[in-house]
Amino acid sequence: MSRILVTGSSGRLGRSVVAVLAERGHEVVEVDLTVPAEHADAYAADLTEPAVAADVIGGAKPDAVIHLAAIAVPFSAPEQHILRTNASLAFNVMQAAVDAGVRKIVTASSPTVFGYGSPAGWAPERLPLTEDVQPRPWNAYALSKLLAERTMEMFAAQRGEAVRLAAFRPCYVIAPEEWQGALTQQGHTVAQRLDDPALSAPALFNYVDARDVGDFLHTLIAALDDIPNAQTFIVGAADALARRPLAELMPQYVPAAAEAAQELTGTTPAFSIAKARRLLGWSPAHDWRTELGEAPASESDRLAESLEGSGW
Ligand SMILES: NC(=O)c1ccc[n+]([C@@H]2O[C@H](COP(=O)([O-])OP(=O)(O)OC[C@H]3O[C@@H](n4cnc5c(N)ncnc54)[C@H](O)[C@@H]3O)[C@@H](O)[C@H]2O)c1
């Protein structure tokens, strides 16, 4: 059991992360611009202010900090504002955490760092994407997330092995209520996203259940002393958010990735979680078929998923 401070705790992902960590017996400190009045250990704070971040994190004295607070939607604000906000949030939170003697720090990045969806074109060198593929952010949001990763690495370089840090790139987050029909981050339902592949294609059909991200973070925090410092992890579902294999869908919806996508047979997703499986022994527990009550994938699809997990 640890005392874990979560920034962005009121958000789409934060609410599930807080719930899962509390279920697992952690003492959770919530920090966001606004927090539920009825929550005991919850603090309203604007973390773009360095002194505020120092006060709230220094005052809470957590064992670990999970930094989720951000402007989380590309182009939802002017580019400069997204870059300035997310970069200063990541820097201030990690600076305040190391100054307060916090030993474990994890920051949220995003798969958008890979650069898919660029109007200038994007052709992956290979699929599925792994953490060692060169990032090519093409907008301020993706750049701000790469900066968060680099900031995490900077503090590891500065503090050495005494502080254990990591970053993670969650795929398109589906909160529990969204399986029941609540709107997802892009303003449509999961079912609409499945029915119209054009909606999911810009994110290369990636997704992850928010509770699985909570479970990933619980596992990661426990493992931080035992894995190499300053790692970055892709965190996704074991399958693609699509009713047909990506090898069939990509040529139509993401033509530049068509050749690389020929590897993506069965239910194989475009984002590999093999590193999280290998280093942490973590696997997601939820997938869209079980959550939506649709027929499970065939045995051969399951086999393809587990083989993907054994590689890397
Ligand atoms: N939702 C996704 O699909 C997705 C995918 C990849 C990465 N991420 C990353 O995961 C994290 C959480 O995303 P989310 O979907 O829960 O977003 P969200 O917008 O639902 O939550 C973000 C939270 O951060 C808070 N916040 C913003 N500015 C703040 C400030 N100045 N001080 C304190 N708190 C502030 C907001 O109030 C909000 O509650 C973000 O870092 C996001 O970039 C999300």
Side-chain angles (χ1 to χ4, degrees):
M1 195 271 257
S2 302
R3 181 164 166 81
I4 304 179
L5 184 146
V6 179
T7 75
S9 55
S10 303
R12 179 183 304 276
L13 178 56
R15 293 191 299 274
S16 283
V17 168
V18 167
V20 170
L21 294 177
E23 268 165 34
R24 305 293 162 84
H26 297 291
E27 204 176 284
V28 185
V29 184
E30 299 172 48
V31 184
D32 203 307
L33 288 173
T34 56
V35 290
E38 66 279 14
H39 289 200
D41 225 353
Y43 304 90
D46 181 349
L47 298 165
T48 56
E49 288 298 328
V52 172
D55 268 5
V56 76
I57 294 173
K61 299 194 180 10
D63 305 308
V65 167
I66 296 173
H67 174 54
L68 306 179
I71 298 175
V73 182
F75 303 111
S76 60
E79 289 286 85
Q80 291 84 349
H81 184 68
I82 291 180
L83 181 60
R84 195 166 52 240
T85 303
N86 289 354
S88 66
L89 281 169
F91 191 89
N92 294 346
V93 167
M94 285 189 255
Q95 179 76 67
V98 295
D99 286 348
V102 176
R103 275 202 62 254
K104 296 182 175 182
I105 304 168
V106 176
T107 193
S109 177
S110 160
T112 57
V113 298
F114 285 120
Y116 49 82
S118 167
W122 179 82
E125 53 200 76
R126 64 172 185 276
L127 290 171
L129 292 163
T130 51
E131 291 82 352
D132 54 352
V133 169
Q134 175 76 24
R136 282 198 296 145
W138 66 269
N139 56 57
Y141 171 75
L143 177 62
S144 75
K145 293 283 118 178
L146 187 58
L147 270 172
E149 292 182 11
R150 296 288 179 262
T151 305
M152 177 280 286
E153 290 165 3
M154 185 207 82
F155 281 110
Q158 185 185 97
R159 304 288 165 142
E161 297 298 315
V163 182
R164 313 300 301 180
L165 296 111
F168 69 106
R169 301 172 181 170
C171 290
Y172 190 68
V173 172
I174 311 287
E177 65 274 14
E178 292 166 8
W179 296 119
Q180 269 78 56
L183 297 183
T184 65
Q185 190 203 54
Q186 298 294 311
H188 47 252
T189 64
V190 181
Q192 285 168 332
R193 217 169 158 87
L194 281 162
D195 291 344
D196 179 2
L199 293 175
S200 200
L204 307 182
F205 306 94
N206 75 23
Y207 78 107
V208 66
D209 186 296
R211 295 162 294 184
D212 283 335
V213 182
D215 181 58
F216 166 84
L217 289 167
H218 165 75
T219 307
L220 175 63
I221 293 281
L224 274 179
D225 276 325
D226 306 319
I227 63 171
N229 210 2
Q231 296 297 304
T232 292
F233 294 92
I234 295 169
V235 181
D239 59 351
L241 191 64
R243 290 203 169 91
R244 282 158 51 206
L246 298 196
E248 288 174 27
L249 289 171
M250 293 282 228
Q252 186 181 349
Y253 293 96
V254 193
E259 204 181 314
Q262 290 318 298
E263 303 297 317
L264 305 181
T265 54
T267 61
T268 306
F271 297 80
S272 171
I273 53 171
K275 183 177 177 183
R277 289 189 198 269
R278 183 172 57 84
L279 275 187
L280 304 173
W282 174 82
S283 293
H286 302 88
D287 67 59
W288 68 264
R289 289 178 178 83
T290 49
E291 294 304 315
L292 297 179
E294 295 204 9
S298 69
E299 258 324 295
S300 57
D301 289 343
R302 294 272 177 220
L303 184 64
E305 278 174 19
S306 63
L307 285 178
E308 195 271 330
S310 65
W312 211 72

